[in-house]
Amino acid sequence: MIKRTKAAAAALLGAAILATACTNDGSGDGQVARTPASETPLVSAQPADPAEEAVRMPSDRLFWKPPEGWVGDLMPFNDGTDKLHLFYLQDWRDGAPGFHPWHLTTTSNLTDYTYEGESIPFGREHEPDLAIGTGSVIKAGNTYHAFYTGHNWKFPDQGKPKEAMMHATSTDLSTWTKLPEHTFVAPEGYEIHDFRDPYVFYDEEAGEYRMLVSARQVGVGGVLAVFASKDLAAWEVREPLEIEVASSFFMLECADIFRSGDKWYLVFSEFSDRKATHYRVSDSIDGPWLLPEDGDDLFDGRAFYAAKTGMLGDNRYLFGWVPTRNMEKDFMNWDWAGNLVAHQLVTHPDGTLGVTVPESIEGFLSRESELNVSQRLGEAAGEGGEWRLNGAAGMAGVVFDNLPTIARITGKFRYDEATQFTGFVAGIGEEPEKAYGIQVEPAKGRIRYDAVHGGALTSVEPDVSVLIPFAPGIDYSFTLVIEDDVAVFYVGDHALTTRIYKMPGGAWGWYARGGATTLSDLKLFTPQEESR
């Protein structure tokens, strides 16, 4: 994905950057590249070499970000070791003409990350990769191949395509050599300025490499174009993938294919409908790619975007990013890029997918801490982890002491038919009724996050929401993972990821409005280890 417009490059601090490397709205993400000549090893082009050696980060332990800048689209790669390489688009937000070079962080457990610095820099103003977008890495023999989007927003004024497929190689996943002679643009029949996010894999049955490219077919709309190669250098055009109910999407960005059991899965993101990451299922790598049987093809909401999968041990994870907000204000627009977020993927017997808390994060946040009640609001009865909140007369809630910087909250909730809202609230101050957070909205069958207080929720559309078919009188288990201002709420097979600037250092609680909610087994967990 690529996300940066001329205005975004020029007006950096005051404007929201809604462009994404796996484009959030259709623009591409580029990086300023000062690329050497073909076959010459790349040299970092960014200020102050952030990591001459790998550096272990002192903060952002679970929802990682680099020491400077932010995480854009992630590109996981693992060649069978216990270390996962997470290439990503580095968002400097420095106003430079070029942007989004590939940087790298590695992890063996999702709770400790090592920042490896820059991998592939963006190019010069006359080159196709003045900005760099999403791609993928594959190993062939003893060589690693990176395929990525070249994005030059100046090219259309020169009568040239804005986006292109580009290729670089490495023998160590650290030093990369660009191969500009392998660059190619959208073929006939495809729109020339929307052509990005190559995903390359080897099709064993066909004995060839395949490349999926996010593209727009003339007269059709958003598609995943398909190319084939025997040598990873010359590519032939094939028919695009057949994907159920995809014709309404402007673009299908950041594609990823993997196999689980006897099914194949296709993951992609789109910004024209729900601005989220979707998936499709097939019995064959050639498709057709169909909606899951239950019709639910989402994992999370709009604040978790451009997600791709990667293996670590026996588990597959989904890696996306939670955006920041302009001026770090909860009521402002979302920016492009932010912190890394990882969900563990779950494959069910019926072939559907879901997400849950990564096992390693549960293990890390496993020291139970005491729940200290600071106040009760309305009709709230109970103690410890067992509460009944009767919001029939308006609002009821229980408020606990300030949240730790990093924590896991678990429990179960059950509500009655009269309940309007029930859920977690954060940043509770002197006017607790004006707190806001992650709420279950039974009438709409969804969880939602809004930077408004509970009394105003019915008058606004959700800022972030995920559809879940809730029913009264049922115990729903949930887990909330928080670190600083990032929160991920898991319930059922879904997650709702968001950022709440009001949350750190503030009191927290659970509210109910318009009916009764029963909370049970409520627990707070903090890290087993006090420090790294």
Side-chain angles (χ1 to χ4, degrees):
M1 201 188 252
I2 283 189
K3 210 57 174 156
R4 179 96 64 99
T5 61
K6 294 181 182 179
L12 206 56
L13 285 179
I17 304 170
L18 276 178
T20 94
C22 263
T23 300
N24 238 354
D25 59 359
S27 64
D29 230 343
Q31 279 178 355
V32 174
R34 295 155 207 175
T35 57
S38 171
E39 302 298 336
T40 302
L42 299 178
V43 178
S44 174
Q46 267 310 338
D49 191 9
E52 300 228 339
E53 297 179 5
V55 177
R56 193 167 298 278
M57 296 298 100
S59 61
D60 303 303
R61 178 150 192 173
L62 306 182
F63 306 125
W64 184 85
K65 69 174 290 296
E68 296 182 42
W70 302 94
V71 174
D73 302 353
L74 290 129
M75 296 152 278
F77 176 75
N78 191 327
D79 58 355
T81 70
D82 61 356
K83 179 187 292 188
L84 181 64
H85 291 72
L86 293 165
F87 296 94
Y88 70 94
L89 301 184
Q90 169 78 8
D91 190 23
W92 287 109
R93 301 185 187 176
D94 57 1
F99 47 98
H100 297 166
W102 276 27
H103 280 218
L104 174 64
T105 186
T106 57
T107 184
S108 296
N109 56 15
L110 305 185
T111 60
D112 294 281
Y113 290 85
T114 301
Y115 178 48
E116 310 283 359
E118 186 174 75
S119 294
I120 303 178
F122 51 72
R124 292 167 290 201
E125 293 197 15
H126 67 279
E127 294 173 316
D129 56 355
L130 176 59
I132 291 183
T134 311
S136 61
V137 174
I138 189 172
K139 187 177 183 181
N142 294 320
T143 302
Y144 299 96
H145 297 259
F147 293 89
Y148 62 95
T149 307
H151 177 93
N152 191 320
W153 50 270
K154 298 183 176 184
F155 273 14
D157 292 339
Q158 303 171 28
K160 295 186 289 188
K162 182 169 59 177
E163 296 185 327
M165 296 300 96
M166 302 191 72
H167 186 192
T169 58
S170 174
T171 57
D172 59 6
L173 289 173
S174 177
T175 302
W176 293 84
T177 299
K178 292 184 179 181
L179 305 175
E181 65 273 18
H182 292 170
T183 299
F184 68 95
V185 299
E188 185 177 356
Y190 290 89
E191 297 181 12
I192 62 173
H193 298 310
D194 287 303
F195 190 67
R196 54 183 173 271
D197 307 338
Y199 176 73
V200 177
F201 60 95
Y202 186 70
D203 184 343
E204 292 185 1
E205 186 172 331
E208 62 186 13
Y209 295 96
R210 299 281 180 87
M211 178 189 290
L212 306 183
V213 178
S214 302
R216 286 185 56 77
Q217 194 171 23
V218 175
V220 175
V223 298
L224 286 175
V226 179
F227 299 83
S229 174
K230 295 290 187 181
D231 59 4
L232 294 172
W235 295 90
E236 299 177 357
V237 184
R238 300 287 174 82
E239 288 298 311
L241 294 189
E242 181 182 343
I243 304 172
E244 185 176 14
V245 196
S247 59
S248 63
F249 298 153
F250 183 84
M251 290 287 286
L252 288 71
E253 298 183 314
C254 303
D256 179 15
I257 285 180
F258 65 92
R259 186 172 186 172
S260 181
D262 60 354
K263 297 289 186 181
W264 288 91
Y265 295 90
L266 169 69
V267 175
F268 63 90
S269 294
E270 60 79 29
F271 56 86
S272 56
D273 180 17
R274 298 181 187 173
K275 300 178 175 64
T277 299
H278 301 247
Y279 79 96
R280 295 291 188 270
V281 188
S282 177
D283 292 326
S284 165
I285 198 171
D286 295 317
W289 297 95
L290 306 176
L291 280 165
E293 289 187 3
D294 61 4
D296 180 7
D297 67 336
L298 297 178
F299 304 101
D300 201 328
R302 66 172 295 181
F304 176 79
Y305 197 73
K308 285 174 168 279
T309 74
M311 292 291 294
L312 192 55
D314 296 328
N315 296 320
R316 184 174 291 274
Y317 299 90
L318 190 64
F319 295 91
W321 47 266
V322 54
T324 59
R325 285 187 186 272
N326 189 225
M327 299 176 66
E328 297 188 353
K329 300 293 184 181
D330 287 310
F331 53 84
M332 297 295 284
N333 290 334
W334 293 109
D335 296 323
W336 187 87
N339 293 65
L340 175 159
V341 174
H343 301 319
Q344 187 166 327
L345 275 174
V346 178
T347 305
H348 298 296
D350 64 357
T352 58
L353 297 178
V355 293
T356 189
V357 187
E359 293 174 357
S360 57
I361 290 179
E362 281 194 333
F364 175 65
L365 298 173
S366 57
R367 183 173 62 135
E368 188 170 355
S369 299
E370 187 176 354
L371 288 169
N372 296 312
V373 178
S374 61
Q375 60 179 311
R376 304 180 189 206
L377 307 170
E379 295 185 40
E383 62 180 356
E386 313 294 321
W387 292 87
R388 178 174 171 78
L389 311 176
N390 186 357
M395 187 266 289
V398 57
V399 179
F400 300 97
D401 284 350
N402 294 356
L403 270 173
T405 301
I406 178 170
R408 176 171 63 99
I409 300 170
T410 65
K412 298 176 183 177
F413 66 86
R414 181 175 69 251
Y415 62 87
D416 66 19
E417 293 183 353
T419 299
Q420 183 181 14
F421 297 104
T422 185
F424 165 83
V425 287
I428 300 171
E430 295 181 359
E431 298 180 275
E433 70 279 2
K434 291 187 177 181
Y436 51 82
I438 299 168
Q439 308 283 353
V440 176
E441 187 180 12
K444 297 292 181 67
R446 63 190 178 190
I447 48 177
R448 60 186 287 168
Y449 166 75
D450 301 270
V452 296
H453 59 82
L457 288 180
T458 56
S459 64
V460 298
E461 280 301 303
D463 189 17
V464 181
S465 65
V466 178
L467 296 176
I468 300 178
F470 290 109
I474 296 176
D475 283 325
Y476 290 96
S477 297
F478 71 89
T479 297
L480 176 69
V481 179
I482 65 112
E483 183 177 31
D484 297 323
D485 50 27
V486 177
V488 183
F489 186 86
Y490 295 91
V491 60
D493 286 337
H494 297 79
L496 185 148
T497 298
T498 192
R499 188 183 295 274
I500 309 175
Y501 289 106
K502 191 178 181 181
M503 181 171 63
W508 67 280
W510 195 284
Y511 289 5
R513 181 183 292 273
T517 293
T518 300
L519 281 175
S520 59
D521 298 328
L522 188 64
K523 296 179 180 180
L524 171 67
F525 298 93
T526 54
Q528 275 289 356
E529 46 188 284
E530 293 294 336
S531 60
R532 290 176 187 268

